[in-house]
Amino acid sequence: MGLESRFGDNILTTVADKFINWGRKNSLWPLTFGTACCGIELMSTIASRYDISRFGAEVIRFSPRQADLLVVAGRIVIKMGPVLKKIYDQMLEPKWVMALGACATSGGVFDTYGVIQGIDQFIPVDIYVPGCPPRPEDILNGLLKLQKKIERDTVLYRER
Amino acid sequence: MDSMEGNLALAKLKATYPDSILETKEFRGDITVTIKKEDLLSIMQFLKDDEELKFNHLASISGIDYLKMEDVEGRLAVVYHLYSFKNSRRLAIKTFVSEDSLEIDSVYSLWKTADWQEREIYDLFGITFKGHPLLKRIFLPEDFEGHPLRKDYPLKGRGERSRFDYEER
């Protein structure tokens, strides 16, 4: 690379998208919206045994204004819907949503009037993690898949 | 637990309100007395204040839907579980509510714990409690239609929501 040879070891050239996405994907600050047993698995994922900080997502923020990743862990009933919608709307861009487990994805076994049959009916979801509840390994796998997705993002123009 | 014959509360109730008692039942030592809806408040007052009985604790209130059940006085029922800390005795009081008049006296004036439990029954069964200080929905959204714990409320197809627009506060 021409520029780097001129400036020595102090300068590294790269593409802006790549550099920014690298930073974003490795410092996801999750907001955990745990409403059911998936929330327990999520706690286990965050704790030292599975240690979500290996993937840079250990800074749990309970304020939507400081979070990048909304993790919806559990069933969302019709009375919780407006709350979740408001929290999602309060988050700043760029933001991502993970639907954790069968209930957040599709309503799961709660096939009834009171439970929303999938949160993607009212907020956009980036990644779905299957399981009832998913094991911590599944959650970490979902996080890695989400990081892959963030890698493909463009900074000046977002697809969604 | 004592049997039906030896139960003091039952004997006293029968002596004081002979016309109000419709049925008495015993199951494993627990006695359930079915009474007329009109006399609910006075019977409850009696059970609470009587020096020997002193049912000072309202353990729970439940609603029941007897849809399609034969030989019942009304479609819905309300069951009060009383407990006496003084005597360590339990008593269940049951009243039927027919669909023609879904109104029943509130026992909030006797036990303050009735507040949320009566709201819950109002929310899920649609029974209104006369004399309740703030009878509005407790679990479901305030603009929800219907009472879903009734047997004829469908599991799916009514009451679903997936759009949430901001409400004015």
Side-chain angles (χ1 to χ4, degrees):
Chain A
M1 300 290 276
L3 267 178
E4 279 161 12
S5 61
R6 183 177 294 182
F7 290 113
D9 292 340
N10 298 325
I11 300 284
L12 188 69
T13 54
T14 181
V15 183
D17 271 357
K18 222 170 201 173
F19 177 66
I20 291 168
N21 286 340
W22 170 80
R24 280 177 177 174
K25 77 167 189 177
N26 288 313
S27 65
L28 279 173
W29 288 13
L31 173 102
T32 55
F33 198 83
T35 51
C37 44
C38 286
I40 306 294
E41 296 294 312
L42 188 59
M43 288 171 214
S44 174
T45 314
I46 294 160
S48 56
R49 188 178 184 93
Y50 292 97
D51 197 10
I52 205 170
S53 71
R54 292 180 289 157
F55 309 100
E58 80 277 22
V59 191
I60 311 297
R61 290 290 140 162
F62 291 104
S63 161
R65 297 178 201 281
Q66 298 170 350
D68 309 306
L69 171 63
L70 177 63
V71 185
V72 183
R75 66 195 88 94
I76 300 298
V77 295
I78 53 174
K79 206 172 176 182
M80 193 56 104
V83 180
L84 182 61
K85 174 85 164 31
K86 187 166 261 180
I87 283 177
Y88 175 79
D89 287 347
Q90 281 176 342
M91 286 171 67
L92 303 177
E93 292 279 359
K95 56 187 171 185
W96 296 273
V97 178
M98 179 192 278
L100 194 61
C103 297
T105 307
S106 68
V109 294
F110 303 98
D111 195 4
T112 162
Y113 69 93
V115 178
I116 297 160
Q117 305 295 304
I119 58 164
D120 51 5
Q121 289 183 15
F122 64 101
I123 56 174
V125 175
D126 291 281
I127 192 128
Y128 301 87
V129 178
C132 185
R135 283 193 58 83
E137 291 93 326
D138 293 329
I139 300 173
L140 293 176
N141 184 35
L143 187 73
L144 290 172
K145 291 263 160 59
L146 181 65
Q147 289 186 343
K148 285 268 187 305
K149 184 173 180 173
I150 296 170
E151 270 175 24
R152 297 197 302 270
D153 214 344
T154 50
V155 175
L156 294 177
Y157 170 72
R158 296 199 82 205
E159 267 178 31
R160 75 148 166 288
Chain B
M1 289 287 117
D2 23 66
S3 67
M4 238 161 44
E5 290 76 36
N7 188 280
L8 181 68
L10 192 56
K12 276 207 152 188
L13 265 186
K14 274 184 175 163
T16 323
Y17 296 95
D19 300 330
S20 317
I21 295 170
L22 301 172
E23 196 191 0
T24 51
K25 256 188 199 166
E26 190 204 338
F27 182 72
R28 294 187 180 166
D30 286 328
I31 290 169
T32 307
V33 185
T34 310
I35 59 166
K36 281 184 187 165
K37 190 175 86 171
E38 295 73 33
D39 304 322
L40 175 79
L41 207 55
S42 60
I43 286 180
M44 288 302 200
Q45 183 90 55
F46 170 75
L47 288 169
K48 191 195 174 193
D49 292 342
D50 190 89
E51 278 306 314
E52 283 181 295
L53 302 177
K54 277 266 181 246
F55 283 100
N56 51 359
H57 176 53
L58 175 65
S60 82
I61 311 178
S62 327
I64 305 174
D65 187 358
Y66 284 112
L67 183 73
K68 290 181 184 169
M69 190 134 162
E70 307 283 324
D71 307 324
V72 285
E73 281 89 37
R75 179 184 158 182
L76 297 153
V78 185
V79 185
Y80 301 80
H81 290 267
L82 306 179
Y83 185 73
S84 162
F85 279 107
K86 188 187 167 204
N87 303 322
S88 303
R89 287 285 181 277
R90 291 178 194 283
L91 185 71
I93 302 288
K94 187 171 173 179
T95 54
F96 282 95
V97 181
S98 69
E99 263 185 302
D100 323 320
S101 75
L102 287 165
E103 204 174 59
I104 189 167
D105 283 321
S106 168
V107 294
Y108 175 77
S109 53
L110 303 174
W111 297 281
K112 292 287 176 281
T113 183
D115 185 352
W116 283 11
Q117 301 192 41
E118 286 179 345
R119 273 177 71 185
E120 181 183 344
I121 292 169
Y122 164 72
D123 194 356
L124 301 174
F125 286 100
I127 299 169
T128 51
F129 290 87
K130 205 164 56 190
H132 190 283
L134 183 76
L135 197 64
K136 60 175 197 171
R137 288 188 184 275
I138 188 165
F139 289 141
L140 296 162
E142 277 179 37
D143 54 343
F144 194 86
E145 278 170 22
H147 303 284
L149 222 55
R150 289 190 180 187
K151 299 277 186 203
D152 54 358
Y153 194 94
L155 194 60
K156 277 163 75 180
R158 194 178 157 195
E160 276 104 339
R161 287 173 189 202
S162 60
R163 275 186 62 85
F164 302 103
D165 302 321
Y166 292 120
E167 47 192 76
E168 297 289 324
R169 281 198 186 269

